[in-house]
Amino acid sequence: MYSRLTLAQTSQIILSVDNVSVSYGFVSALREVSLEILEGEFVALIGANGAGKSTLLETVLGIQRPKSGTISYMNQDITLKPTEWIVASGISLCPEGRGILPEMTILENLFLGAYHNRGRIDQSMSRIFEIFPILQQRRNQKAGTLSGGQQQILSIARALMARTKLFMLDEPSVGLAPMMVNDVLKIIKKLCDEGYTILLAEQNAKKALQFASRAYVFETGKIVIEGVSQELMKNELVIQAYLGV
Amino acid sequence: METFIAQLMNGLAVGSIYALLVTGFNLLLLVGGVIQYAYPHIVVISMYATWLALKVSGGNLLLSVSAPLVIATALSMATEPLFRPLTKRGATNHTFIMSIGIGMILTHVMAKHLHHGMPISFPENLASHKAAIQFGIAVISGPQMYTFFGTFIAVTAFVLLLYRTMGGHAFRAIAQSPFVARILGIPLGRMAILSYGIAGLLGGVTAVFLAMALGSAYPALGNTLALKVIATVLFAGVGNLGGGLICGLILGTAESLTTGYLPGQWSNAVSFGMIMVVVLFRPAGLFGIRT
């Protein structure tokens, strides 16, 4: 991975969500949600299933439209921009369930990742294969034959094929064995160390707080608590609701 | 034996035309998200365009081959805004009804306004049935060969497009999962419009071969072909590109062989009969549905 800025530089706000509300018909999914992410940060969104984390990620990507509020990326208003524009400017989503194309080969999946980065396909591909040799070994196999953990790695690798600055990951730990969960999160942490910005939505609050530096806690569409991970791990309410064994 | 070979050759020619039609149809279904019943009607009107171009230019082949390509592509793309309100809300089944309507309009235009509704015929130099290859008293005519090999080239080009270009990969991604395609930043709307264009282009090519193979065209041809296309698609499995190609060939050959050995309308009975049997025992079609 190419090293970008280091955290020693003054970090600017890369993503700013301002009072965003989203509804599916009459059902309110997000209610006046605001958050801010600095470049190079590793931020987690924790909360139960259905609390609004996925909706927020999809809204940032332009798949859902907020009925009120604004979203800014790199100081530009992206609230009403089409998904292809948002992806082309550097936001990638690894959706819940990995979002890979099972009928296509690993190579084809990676190829598609470079849809908005066609000038650098060969270099990006060789770099990906260096970092993830398993993908090179299996490059002509159908992506559906991979295990859950390998698919998650493919999903991340595919996002790396684009000129991604902000990685959004939705529940990467779902369905993975605990050891695999650790491996995947370590990879994500490594991405952050290299300068990428990470926004991670996770049901597994324990793991999320272990790796992320900051977190927002979602409950029925609202942010109820936010703070630095160390603090949240000691917070009574968080422990009771989310950090139980 | 010679009848068999002659009919087989004819069947392959006819079958490859069905295969091309089915491919365009499947493309529109998989990437455009529409059931375009009127696709063959667009092809038939393009045949009229070929005929007109031949008349007007006095037999200029270049013009008469470009005319159907242009008309079919333009017509196909012109239907896109008609379908858009339906695809926007995911009403795929309603697009079938819309396309039947478009088919009716096109048939009407041909029946009332083009050549007084009388069949058009294509002159010798386009639809020459002079023997190209002979064995015994069986002949393979020029048009049959051109059709078969021409279709082969068109299909190969299309497959290369799908498997070797980024756009083609994007088409396949949309066909497999519009959601994943979207998060990769693939512009679904623009790709859908492009698929109308490519299907149209393919349709124009098909019109040329149809003109060669049939030697004539008439307003009701759109409906006749549309039924065959829908039936082939059900036979092969809806949306299955490869299956559609093979089944187009199978059905064309079956039809042709029947025409050679059984009288009258038995060819239709055989082809629709085969479809009935497949749909009864393998509802998803011979090769399975790919939505």
Side-chain angles (χ1 to χ4, degrees):
Chain A
M1 285 171 274
Y2 23 115
S3 207
R4 277 116 143 275
L5 60 103
T6 64
L7 287 174
Q9 289 176 271
T10 1
S11 298
Q12 51 158 327
I13 299 173
I14 192 173
L15 183 72
S16 169
V17 173
D18 195 17
N19 254 319
V20 158
S21 298
V22 176
S23 306
Y24 297 114
F26 295 120
V27 178
S28 174
L30 286 180
R31 289 182 273 171
E32 284 149 21
V33 165
S34 297
L35 54 85
E36 234 172 45
I37 314 218
L38 299 175
E39 203 162 357
E41 274 202 287
F42 189 151
V43 177
L45 306 177
I46 57 185
N49 226 349
K53 313 187 297 294
S54 297
T55 309
L56 179 65
L57 297 186
E58 287 183 3
T59 310
V60 169
L61 207 69
I63 296 177
Q64 303 296 341
R65 292 258 170 263
K67 63 173 195 229
S68 60
T70 57
I71 303 177
S72 305
Y73 171 66
M74 312 265 279
N75 282 316
Q76 250 198 307
D77 190 337
I78 61 167
T79 321
L80 296 173
K81 291 271 193 228
T83 306
E84 54 261 24
W85 194 96
I86 295 177
V87 171
S89 18
I91 304 184
S92 283
L93 172 66
C94 298
E96 195 170 351
R98 336 295 169 218
I100 55 146
L101 294 159
E103 293 288 317
M104 292 202 188
T105 64
I106 291 184
L107 200 66
E108 289 175 322
N109 269 277
L110 290 174
F111 186 66
L112 272 169
Y115 188 82
H116 287 287
N117 193 17
R118 288 177 227 190
R120 319 255 304 257
I121 291 190
D122 292 319
Q123 300 142 278
S124 310
M125 200 85 76
S126 13
R127 213 170 281 138
I128 301 279
F129 286 148
E130 258 175 56
I131 308 165
F132 304 113
I134 182 103
L135 293 181
Q136 176 166 41
Q137 277 167 36
R138 303 205 177 185
R139 64 187 182 281
N140 289 316
Q141 280 183 11
K142 287 209 173 143
T145 61
L146 294 179
S147 73
Q150 290 165 339
Q151 285 185 5
Q152 189 59 60
I153 291 175
L154 176 60
S155 186
I156 294 174
R158 191 179 58 185
L160 279 172
M161 293 290 292
R163 271 172 292 183
T164 309
K165 293 200 189 66
L166 169 62
F167 264 86
M168 301 195 297
L169 298 119
D170 198 352
E171 312 274 3
S173 73
V174 161
L176 299 188
M179 210 175 67
M180 206 60 232
V181 170
N182 261 323
D183 290 343
V184 167
L185 283 171
K186 280 199 206 130
I187 292 172
I188 298 172
K189 184 75 173 69
K190 219 171 155 263
L191 284 176
C192 183
D193 295 338
E194 301 264 335
Y196 294 90
T197 311
I198 312 281
L199 180 55
L200 172 76
E202 250 306 334
Q203 266 182 81
N204 188 337
K206 209 168 182 181
K207 282 288 164 200
L209 291 175
Q210 237 183 291
F211 285 87
S213 56
R214 256 201 317 132
Y216 293 86
V217 181
F218 276 71
E219 241 170 63
T220 53
K222 276 180 150 318
I223 294 179
V224 292
I225 312 171
E226 58 182 277
V228 168
S229 299
Q230 313 283 47
E231 307 277 312
L232 288 179
M233 287 202 270
K234 301 191 209 128
N235 181 305
E236 278 302 314
L237 297 162
V238 172
I239 295 176
Q240 264 202 343
Y242 302 105
L243 297 181
V245 172
Chain B
M1 188 58 200
E2 277 127 356
T3 321
F4 180 77
I5 297 196
Q7 291 307 115
L8 187 67
M9 291 293 110
N10 194 51
L12 287 176
V14 168
S16 34
I17 291 178
Y18 288 162
L20 264 184
L21 283 172
V22 167
T23 303
F25 182 87
N26 275 329
L27 177 64
L28 283 169
L29 179 65
L30 291 171
V31 185
V34 296
I35 302 171
Q36 181 46 311
Y37 177 83
Y39 183 61
H41 298 72
I42 293 179
V43 170
V44 172
I45 276 208
S46 309
M47 288 172 73
Y48 275 77
T50 312
W51 174 79
L52 201 65
L54 276 171
K55 273 187 76 164
V56 158
S57 69
N60 184 323
L61 274 179
L62 186 62
L63 198 66
S64 16
V65 168
S66 336
L69 293 181
V70 169
I71 299 287
T73 310
L75 264 181
S76 183
M77 295 191 73
T79 62
E80 193 274 330
L82 295 175
F83 287 111
R84 205 183 308 175
L86 297 172
T87 55
K88 255 205 149 69
R89 51 176 211 260
T92 314
N93 291 336
H94 296 198
T95 60
F96 189 39
I97 300 174
M98 169 70 86
S99 61
I100 292 178
I102 297 176
M104 286 168 92
I105 294 175
L106 292 176
T107 306
H108 179 93
V109 165
M110 290 187 277
K112 292 276 192 265
H113 303 284
L114 295 180
H115 203 226
H116 310 291
M118 292 195 296
I120 55 172
S121 59
F122 294 93
E124 273 291 296
N125 58 354
L126 190 64
S128 163
H129 289 279
K130 288 200 302 256
I133 305 183
Q134 250 178 308
F135 8 166
I137 56 165
V139 299
I140 304 179
S141 66
Q144 285 173 343
M145 279 203 329
Y146 294 145
T147 305
F148 188 64
F149 288 113
T151 314
F152 182 77
I153 293 172
V155 170
T156 309
F158 182 64
V159 169
L160 282 176
L161 176 83
L162 281 188
Y163 283 84
R164 291 251 190 270
T165 64
M166 182 62 95
H169 279 79
F171 274 178
R172 287 158 58 218
I174 296 172
Q176 288 172 33
S177 172
F179 177 70
V180 172
R182 198 164 174 198
I183 59 167
L184 288 172
I186 294 172
L188 297 186
R190 245 178 291 156
M191 285 285 137
I193 294 175
L194 192 63
S195 72
Y196 279 86
I198 294 184
L201 201 61
L202 216 55
V205 170
T206 313
V208 172
F209 293 133
L210 261 174
M212 277 198 255
L214 290 183
S216 66
Y218 48 94
L221 186 59
N223 284 325
T224 312
L225 289 175
L227 281 175
K228 299 259 167 73
V229 166
I230 302 274
T232 311
V233 158
L234 289 172
F235 183 68
V238 178
N240 194 313
L241 281 170
L245 283 172
I246 298 175
C247 289
L249 285 169
I250 294 178
L251 279 177
T253 320
E255 242 181 53
S256 192
L257 286 174
T258 325
T259 319
Y261 292 103
L262 292 174
Q265 292 293 314
W266 273 104
S267 55
N268 279 332
V270 166
S271 43
F272 288 114
M274 281 170 74
I275 291 156
M276 271 170 62
V277 168
V278 166
V279 168
L280 269 174
F281 293 103
R282 265 182 83 96
L286 222 51
F287 292 89
I289 295 178
R290 296 264 237 95
T291 26

